[in-house]
């Protein structure tokens, strides 16, 4: 975007207003894209989204030469993993991006979900067995309980304190999985359940080695979640989240019950993390205490930050990238933590808003009003130029 | 379901005094690392997430120095003054390595953000990234296994207090930690740099107007924290000779942070109180509940409890409010 255009007849305060507007909306190189998208007719947006969804569903079937992870990794399985990370990132984005709560123990919720699926479907567990698909809502419900249990005492804290406490929570979950005999520590649970159905040869459709069905299941969940989250974002809840992310004190003073909405964000984020954990448990078919460490929490955080905190489409992309890179470039897979650590630092220094910035829903109103005023004043301000694009 | 949690009061009663000595020893190590968190928090109002990596780099430097000096898994066959000289050399290298790491962390992860006036969350995320980078550089270099054991000296029991043996290393660590604390405390109170640190902690803008070089103060704070982490690293290797692992800084870092919060983050004396207290609580909990894993769980629970009940910690007050 060109900020250097002459202001024409606009006055000093007009220029300052433009500057401020420019600042809050954080224009980026991808800004043109969202601008273009916002000017698209509603029907066109839906048509475009439908095509995008269809393309997403076709992804494991089309093996694009340069994009593929083969021969190192099976492409449909890689797709399933990318979708799983995307779901996790969407969930964490609610907590970190929307409500501005830095959660470093997100892997704890993921673990709880995985253990729920394992405990109620694996033959290694003595609990009542239920169909696998029921474990998805069950995992979501159980993790909401965990999210609220963690949230009630800790959500009065802010920023880095909250980060450290959630980190502690994630570690407690991991340590308990080691200590509690019923969770079988490193031995873990084998043969975690999967959705019903067999193919022509009588093998289960959702086997551990078939990525595509798991991928489709995951993106179906993602699409449902996206629709629900989109509505939530446009509702009072979403506005309150943004208010408390931008300035908690001001929000509190303006009558936003911040604690309640933080708890909302935590609960919803936890539920999504738990569902992702249950899906992961089903697909891998094995759950033990080894994978749920802080490193994984940080990978999830990278996914959100990379995509752009507060942008759920960005989160999907970020999650997919974080899963994709080590699978595609197996030579550097060993370096993945190093690379993603460096990415965090570099992003924070040069582009803290991530690939896609926050979606300035609230600001679109202001921008529209601003444009109208600018047009009325008949001054070619940068905002007015944008309309012409 | 099996019984997975049980309170073994008899074990605690039987081992109470040895657990106390051990707890105080580890507490001294926590306290030294906690000082790094506390100083940076006082000056920048930030939790230096990468401080645990500063510590572990120091520990590596100590182990490398000692093993290249010929120390190994058996008790060294040297005169006491030769051992002391070697340990002193290892200490110097440990402190240097840790201080350099702290300096690099400050330069890479904090300084560019400070120049841009970034929000606090951004600092935290970049520090997390930095801590990852250091951790995995070590991992790629040294692999997933701990470093070979390095025994520094024959650990003799010095006192026998009512049946509890008190070993030399415990006395050394606790007294050194207390002495270091007094030195740092006096340094902050009396020296010119200490005055600058207090000024910046109290009000960075006014301090700058009064001619305090804020950047220099911040760098010095990181370096002091690094030096103390290096001291802690030597004691850590002394106490846990086989514990140096690329991931090893993490848990100790969280515990030290907990100690800092427990004593009152931003409070130099609080770091000592919090460290010793946390060492005791963790060790009692470990014996009461029956496994070393519980030590970590207990510390995390203490952290959450302290933040809920008294987030300003036991001693409360801030670095900026210290009067000379």
């Amino acid at each position: 975007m060109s900020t250097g255009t002459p202001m024409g007849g606009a006055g000093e305060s007009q220029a300052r207003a433009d500057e401020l507007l420019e600042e809050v909306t954080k224009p980026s190189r991808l800004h043109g894209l969202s601008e273009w998208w916002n000017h698209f007719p509603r029907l066109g947006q839906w048509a475009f989204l439908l095509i995008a969804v269809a393309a997403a569903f076709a992804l494991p079937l089309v093996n694009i030469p340069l994009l593929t992870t083969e021969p190192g990794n099976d492409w449909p399985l890689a797709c399933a993993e990318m979708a799983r990370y995307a779901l996790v990132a969407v969930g964490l984005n609610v907590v970190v991006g929307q409500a501005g709560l830095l959660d470093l123990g997100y892997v704890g919720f993921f673990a709880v979900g995985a253990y729920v699926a394992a405990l109620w479907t694996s033959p290694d567990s003595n609990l009542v067995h239920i169909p696998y698909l029921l474990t998805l809502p069950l995992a979501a419900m159980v993790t909401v309980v965990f999210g609220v249990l963690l949230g009630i005492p800790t959500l009065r804290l802010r920023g880095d304190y909250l980060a450290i406490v959630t980190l502690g929570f994630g570690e407690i979950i991991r340590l308990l999985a080691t200590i509690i005999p019923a969770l079988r520590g490193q031995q873990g649970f084998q043969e975690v359940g999967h959705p019903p159905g067999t193919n022509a040869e009588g093998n289960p459709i959702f086997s551990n080695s078939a990525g595509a069905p798991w991928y489709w299941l995951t993106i179906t969940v993602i699409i449902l979640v996206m629709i629900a989250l989109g509505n939530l974002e446009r509702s009072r809840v979403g506005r309150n989240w943004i208010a408390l992310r931008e300035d908690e004190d001001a929000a509190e003073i303006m009558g936003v019950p911040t604690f309640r909405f933080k708890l909302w964000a935590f609960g919803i984020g936890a539920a999504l993390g738990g569902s992702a954990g249950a899906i992961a448990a089903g697909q891998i078919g094995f759950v033990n205490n080894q994978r749920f460490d802080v490193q994984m929490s940080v990978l999830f955080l990278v996914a959100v930050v990379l995509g752009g905190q507060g942008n759920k489409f960005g989160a999907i992309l970020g999650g997919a990238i974080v899963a994709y890179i080590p699978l595609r470039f197996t030579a550097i897979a060993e370096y993945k933590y190093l690379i993603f650590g460096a990415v965090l630092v570099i992003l924070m220094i040069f582009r803290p808003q991530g690939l896609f910035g926050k979606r300035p829903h609230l600001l679109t109103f202001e921008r529209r009003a601003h444009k109208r005023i600018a047009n009325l004043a008949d001054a070619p301000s940068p905002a007015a130029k944008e309309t012409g694009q | 379901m099996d019984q997975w949690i049980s309170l073994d009061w008899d074990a605690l009663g039987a081992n109470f005094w040895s657990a106390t000595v051990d707890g105080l020893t580890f507490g001294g190590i926590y306290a030294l690392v906690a000082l790094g968190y506390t100083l940076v928090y006082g000056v920048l109002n930030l939790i230096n997430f990468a401080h645990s990596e500063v510590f572990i780099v120091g520990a590596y430097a100590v182990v490398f120095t000692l093993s290249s000096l010929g120390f190994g898994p058996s008790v060294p066959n040297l005169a006491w003054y030769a051992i002391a000289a070697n340990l002193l050399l290892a200490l110097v290298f440990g402190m240097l390595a840790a201080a350099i790491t702290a300096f690099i962390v400050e330069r890479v992860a904090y300084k560019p953000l400070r120049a841009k006036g970034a929000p606090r969350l951004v600092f935290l995320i970049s520090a997390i990234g930095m801590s990852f980078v250091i951790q995995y550089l070590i991992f790629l270099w040294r692999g997933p296994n701990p470093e070979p054991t390095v025994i520094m000296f024959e650990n003799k029991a010095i006192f026998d207090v009512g049946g509890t043996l008190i070993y030399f290393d415990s006395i050394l660590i606790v007294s050194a930690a207390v002495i270091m604390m007094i030195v740092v405390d006096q340094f902050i109170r009396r020296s010119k740099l200490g005055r600058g640190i207090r000024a910046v902690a109290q009000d960075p803008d006014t301090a700058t107007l009064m001619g305090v070089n804020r950047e220099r103060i911040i760098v010095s704070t990181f370096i002091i924290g690094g030096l103390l982490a290096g001291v802690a690293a030597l004691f850590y290797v002394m106490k846990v000779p086989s514990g140096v692992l690329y991931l090893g800084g993490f848990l100790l870092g969280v515990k030290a942070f907990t100690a800092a919060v427990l004593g009152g983050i931003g409070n130099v004396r609080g770091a000592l109180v919090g460290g010793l207290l946390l060492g005791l609580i963790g060790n009692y909990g470990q014996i009461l509940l029956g496994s070393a894993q519980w030590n970590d769980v207990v510390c995390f629970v203490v952290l959450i409890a302290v933040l809920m009940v008294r987030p300003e910690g036991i001693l409360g007050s801030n670095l900026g409010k210290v009067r000379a």
Side-chain angles (χ1 to χ4, degrees), chain A residues 261-283:
Chain A
F261 284 100
K262 282 185 188 176
L263 211 54
W264 263 90
F266 235 60
I268 291 170
L272 295 180
S275 318
I279 292 176
Q283 201 241 305

PDB file of all heavy atoms in Angstrom, chain A residues 261-283:
ATOM      1  N   PHE A 261     -15.719 -14.211  29.630  1.00  0.00           N
ATOM      2  CA  PHE A 261     -15.419 -14.447  28.218  1.00  0.00           C
ATOM      3  C   PHE A 261     -14.065 -15.100  28.016  1.00  0.00           C
ATOM      4  O   PHE A 261     -13.854 -15.824  27.048  1.00  0.00           O
ATOM      5  CB  PHE A 261     -15.565 -13.148  27.427  1.00  0.00           C
ATOM      6  CG  PHE A 261     -17.009 -12.820  27.217  1.00  0.00           C
ATOM      7  CD1 PHE A 261     -17.648 -11.889  28.010  1.00  0.00           C
ATOM      8  CD2 PHE A 261     -17.739 -13.530  26.278  1.00  0.00           C
ATOM      9  CE1 PHE A 261     -18.996 -11.638  27.845  1.00  0.00           C
ATOM     10  CE2 PHE A 261     -19.088 -13.281  26.112  1.00  0.00           C
ATOM     11  CZ  PHE A 261     -19.719 -12.329  26.898  1.00  0.00           C
ATOM     12  N   LYS A 262     -13.162 -14.874  28.965  1.00  0.00           N
ATOM     13  CA  LYS A 262     -11.908 -15.620  28.896  1.00  0.00           C
ATOM     14  C   LYS A 262     -12.198 -17.109  29.082  1.00  0.00           C
ATOM     15  O   LYS A 262     -11.638 -17.962  28.402  1.00  0.00           O
ATOM     16  CB  LYS A 262     -10.977 -15.162  30.006  1.00  0.00           C
ATOM     17  CG  LYS A 262     -10.265 -13.875  29.766  1.00  0.00           C
ATOM     18  CD  LYS A 262      -9.330 -13.719  30.948  1.00  0.00           C
ATOM     19  CE  LYS A 262      -8.663 -12.398  31.009  1.00  0.00           C
ATOM     20  NZ  LYS A 262      -7.853 -12.315  32.235  1.00  0.00           N
ATOM     21  N   LEU A 263     -13.078 -17.378  30.024  1.00  0.00           N
ATOM     22  CA  LEU A 263     -13.435 -18.766  30.295  1.00  0.00           C
ATOM     23  C   LEU A 263     -14.095 -19.398  29.065  1.00  0.00           C
ATOM     24  O   LEU A 263     -13.815 -20.543  28.716  1.00  0.00           O
ATOM     25  CB  LEU A 263     -14.385 -18.808  31.496  1.00  0.00           C
ATOM     26  CG  LEU A 263     -14.309 -20.042  32.373  1.00  0.00           C
ATOM     27  CD1 LEU A 263     -12.898 -20.276  32.848  1.00  0.00           C
ATOM     28  CD2 LEU A 263     -15.233 -19.877  33.571  1.00  0.00           C
ATOM     29  N   TRP A 264     -14.929 -18.630  28.412  1.00  0.00           N
ATOM     30  CA  TRP A 264     -15.532 -19.079  27.162  1.00  0.00           C
ATOM     31  C   TRP A 264     -14.445 -19.487  26.168  1.00  0.00           C
ATOM     32  O   TRP A 264     -14.483 -20.573  25.595  1.00  0.00           O
ATOM     33  CB  TRP A 264     -16.309 -17.926  26.529  1.00  0.00           C
ATOM     34  CG  TRP A 264     -17.775 -17.908  26.783  1.00  0.00           C
ATOM     35  CD1 TRP A 264     -18.396 -17.295  27.823  1.00  0.00           C
ATOM     36  CD2 TRP A 264     -18.794 -18.500  25.988  1.00  0.00           C
ATOM     37  NE1 TRP A 264     -19.751 -17.466  27.719  1.00  0.00           N
ATOM     38  CE2 TRP A 264     -20.027 -18.204  26.604  1.00  0.00           C
ATOM     39  CE3 TRP A 264     -18.784 -19.257  24.818  1.00  0.00           C
ATOM     40  CZ2 TRP A 264     -21.238 -18.630  26.085  1.00  0.00           C
ATOM     41  CZ3 TRP A 264     -19.989 -19.689  24.296  1.00  0.00           C
ATOM     42  CH2 TRP A 264     -21.201 -19.374  24.931  1.00  0.00           C
ATOM     43  N   ALA A 265     -13.521 -18.576  25.947  1.00  0.00           N
ATOM     44  CA  ALA A 265     -12.466 -18.840  24.974  1.00  0.00           C
ATOM     45  C   ALA A 265     -11.688 -20.083  25.376  1.00  0.00           C
ATOM     46  O   ALA A 265     -11.392 -20.948  24.546  1.00  0.00           O
ATOM     47  CB  ALA A 265     -11.529 -17.639  24.880  1.00  0.00           C
ATOM     48  N   PHE A 266     -11.366 -20.170  26.650  1.00  0.00           N
ATOM     49  CA  PHE A 266     -10.601 -21.311  27.130  1.00  0.00           C
ATOM     50  C   PHE A 266     -11.360 -22.605  26.914  1.00  0.00           C
ATOM     51  O   PHE A 266     -10.801 -23.601  26.456  1.00  0.00           O
ATOM     52  CB  PHE A 266     -10.321 -21.112  28.624  1.00  0.00           C
ATOM     53  CG  PHE A 266      -8.889 -21.190  28.957  1.00  0.00           C
ATOM     54  CD1 PHE A 266      -7.999 -20.302  28.391  1.00  0.00           C
ATOM     55  CD2 PHE A 266      -8.416 -22.149  29.832  1.00  0.00           C
ATOM     56  CE1 PHE A 266      -6.662 -20.366  28.694  1.00  0.00           C
ATOM     57  CE2 PHE A 266      -7.086 -22.212  30.136  1.00  0.00           C
ATOM     58  CZ  PHE A 266      -6.210 -21.325  29.576  1.00  0.00           C
ATOM     59  N   GLY A 267     -12.643 -22.583  27.251  1.00  0.00           N
ATOM     60  CA  GLY A 267     -13.454 -23.783  27.113  1.00  0.00           C
ATOM     61  C   GLY A 267     -13.569 -24.216  25.663  1.00  0.00           C
ATOM     62  O   GLY A 267     -13.383 -25.391  25.329  1.00  0.00           O
ATOM     63  N   ILE A 268     -13.850 -23.261  24.787  1.00  0.00           N
ATOM     64  CA  ILE A 268     -14.017 -23.606  23.376  1.00  0.00           C
ATOM     65  C   ILE A 268     -12.698 -24.093  22.797  1.00  0.00           C
ATOM     66  O   ILE A 268     -12.637 -25.120  22.109  1.00  0.00           O
ATOM     67  CB  ILE A 268     -14.553 -22.390  22.596  1.00  0.00           C
ATOM     68  CG1 ILE A 268     -15.987 -22.107  23.026  1.00  0.00           C
ATOM     69  CG2 ILE A 268     -14.502 -22.652  21.094  1.00  0.00           C
ATOM     70  CD1 ILE A 268     -16.532 -20.801  22.512  1.00  0.00           C
ATOM     71  N   GLY A 269     -11.634 -23.371  23.118  1.00  0.00           N
ATOM     72  CA  GLY A 269     -10.316 -23.802  22.648  1.00  0.00           C
ATOM     73  C   GLY A 269     -10.000 -25.203  23.132  1.00  0.00           C
ATOM     74  O   GLY A 269      -9.534 -26.057  22.366  1.00  0.00           O
ATOM     75  N   ALA A 270     -10.289 -25.466  24.408  1.00  0.00           N
ATOM     76  CA  ALA A 270     -10.003 -26.780  24.972  1.00  0.00           C
ATOM     77  C   ALA A 270     -10.788 -27.857  24.247  1.00  0.00           C
ATOM     78  O   ALA A 270     -10.251 -28.913  23.902  1.00  0.00           O
ATOM     79  CB  ALA A 270     -10.346 -26.781  26.455  1.00  0.00           C
ATOM     80  N   ALA A 271     -12.063 -27.589  23.979  1.00  0.00           N
ATOM     81  CA  ALA A 271     -12.901 -28.592  23.319  1.00  0.00           C
ATOM     82  C   ALA A 271     -12.314 -28.958  21.952  1.00  0.00           C
ATOM     83  O   ALA A 271     -12.252 -30.134  21.578  1.00  0.00           O
ATOM     84  CB  ALA A 271     -14.310 -28.058  23.151  1.00  0.00           C
ATOM     85  N   LEU A 272     -11.853 -27.941  21.223  1.00  0.00           N
ATOM     86  CA  LEU A 272     -11.297 -28.226  19.896  1.00  0.00           C
ATOM     87  C   LEU A 272     -10.001 -29.006  20.021  1.00  0.00           C
ATOM     88  O   LEU A 272      -9.754 -29.956  19.261  1.00  0.00           O
ATOM     89  CB  LEU A 272     -11.077 -26.921  19.131  1.00  0.00           C
ATOM     90  CG  LEU A 272     -12.368 -26.169  18.815  1.00  0.00           C
ATOM     91  CD1 LEU A 272     -12.074 -24.901  18.054  1.00  0.00           C
ATOM     92  CD2 LEU A 272     -13.300 -27.052  18.012  1.00  0.00           C
ATOM     93  N   GLY A 273      -9.169 -28.624  20.981  1.00  0.00           N
ATOM     94  CA  GLY A 273      -7.928 -29.368  21.200  1.00  0.00           C
ATOM     95  C   GLY A 273      -8.224 -30.816  21.551  1.00  0.00           C
ATOM     96  O   GLY A 273      -7.563 -31.737  21.067  1.00  0.00           O
ATOM     97  N   GLY A 274      -9.238 -31.020  22.407  1.00  0.00           N
ATOM     98  CA  GLY A 274      -9.602 -32.371  22.801  1.00  0.00           C
ATOM     99  C   GLY A 274     -10.093 -33.194  21.626  1.00  0.00           C
ATOM    100  O   GLY A 274      -9.708 -34.359  21.473  1.00  0.00           O
ATOM    101  N   SER A 275     -10.920 -32.583  20.761  1.00  0.00           N
ATOM    102  CA  SER A 275     -11.399 -33.335  19.596  1.00  0.00           C
ATOM    103  C   SER A 275     -10.227 -33.721  18.704  1.00  0.00           C
ATOM    104  O   SER A 275     -10.146 -34.849  18.201  1.00  0.00           O
ATOM    105  CB  SER A 275     -12.368 -32.494  18.771  1.00  0.00           C
ATOM    106  OG  SER A 275     -13.232 -31.812  19.606  1.00  0.00           O
ATOM    107  N   ALA A 276      -9.301 -32.778  18.507  1.00  0.00           N
ATOM    108  CA  ALA A 276      -8.143 -33.086  17.678  1.00  0.00           C
ATOM    109  C   ALA A 276      -7.352 -34.232  18.289  1.00  0.00           C
ATOM    110  O   ALA A 276      -6.873 -35.127  17.580  1.00  0.00           O
ATOM    111  CB  ALA A 276      -7.261 -31.847  17.526  1.00  0.00           C
ATOM    112  N   GLY A 277      -7.233 -34.214  19.627  1.00  0.00           N
ATOM    113  CA  GLY A 277      -6.520 -35.294  20.296  1.00  0.00           C
ATOM    114  C   GLY A 277      -7.196 -36.635  20.074  1.00  0.00           C
ATOM    115  O   GLY A 277      -6.532 -37.648  19.818  1.00  0.00           O
ATOM    116  N   ALA A 278      -8.534 -36.645  20.152  1.00  0.00           N
ATOM    117  CA  ALA A 278      -9.265 -37.899  19.947  1.00  0.00           C
ATOM    118  C   ALA A 278      -9.085 -38.399  18.519  1.00  0.00           C
ATOM    119  O   ALA A 278      -8.910 -39.602  18.284  1.00  0.00           O
ATOM    120  CB  ALA A 278     -10.742 -37.689  20.254  1.00  0.00           C
ATOM    121  N   ILE A 279      -9.094 -37.471  17.562  1.00  0.00           N
ATOM    122  CA  ILE A 279      -8.895 -37.879  16.168  1.00  0.00           C
ATOM    123  C   ILE A 279      -7.481 -38.444  15.994  1.00  0.00           C
ATOM    124  O   ILE A 279      -7.285 -39.492  15.360  1.00  0.00           O
ATOM    125  CB  ILE A 279      -9.130 -36.692  15.222  1.00  0.00           C
ATOM    126  CG1 ILE A 279     -10.609 -36.308  15.235  1.00  0.00           C
ATOM    127  CG2 ILE A 279      -8.684 -37.041  13.807  1.00  0.00           C
ATOM    128  CD1 ILE A 279     -10.937 -35.084  14.418  1.00  0.00           C
ATOM    129  N   ALA A 280      -6.518 -37.754  16.585  1.00  0.00           N
ATOM    130  CA  ALA A 280      -5.134 -38.233  16.473  1.00  0.00           C
ATOM    131  C   ALA A 280      -4.999 -39.624  17.067  1.00  0.00           C
ATOM    132  O   ALA A 280      -4.368 -40.505  16.473  1.00  0.00           O
ATOM    133  CB  ALA A 280      -4.199 -37.263  17.186  1.00  0.00           C
ATOM    134  N   ALA A 281      -5.628 -39.839  18.231  1.00  0.00           N
ATOM    135  CA  ALA A 281      -5.536 -41.149  18.875  1.00  0.00           C
ATOM    136  C   ALA A 281      -6.122 -42.224  17.981  1.00  0.00           C
ATOM    137  O   ALA A 281      -5.559 -43.314  17.831  1.00  0.00           O
ATOM    138  CB  ALA A 281      -6.267 -41.113  20.211  1.00  0.00           C
ATOM    139  N   GLY A 282      -7.273 -41.918  17.361  1.00  0.00           N
ATOM    140  CA  GLY A 282      -7.906 -42.901  16.491  1.00  0.00           C
ATOM    141  C   GLY A 282      -7.051 -43.212  15.282  1.00  0.00           C
ATOM    142  O   GLY A 282      -6.895 -44.368  14.884  1.00  0.00           O
ATOM    143  N   GLN A 283      -6.487 -42.173  14.687  1.00  0.00           N
ATOM    144  CA  GLN A 283      -5.735 -42.407  13.454  1.00  0.00           C
ATOM    145  C   GLN A 283      -4.431 -43.145  13.720  1.00  0.00           C
ATOM    146  O   GLN A 283      -4.089 -44.085  13.023  1.00  0.00           O
ATOM    147  CB  GLN A 283      -5.460 -41.083  12.766  1.00  0.00           C
ATOM    148  CG  GLN A 283      -5.158 -41.285  11.301  1.00  0.00           C
ATOM    149  CD  GLN A 283      -3.778 -40.809  10.931  1.00  0.00           C
ATOM    150  OE1 GLN A 283      -3.444 -39.671  11.186  1.00  0.00           O
ATOM    151  NE2 GLN A 283      -2.998 -41.683  10.337  1.00  0.00           N
TER     152      GLN A 283
END
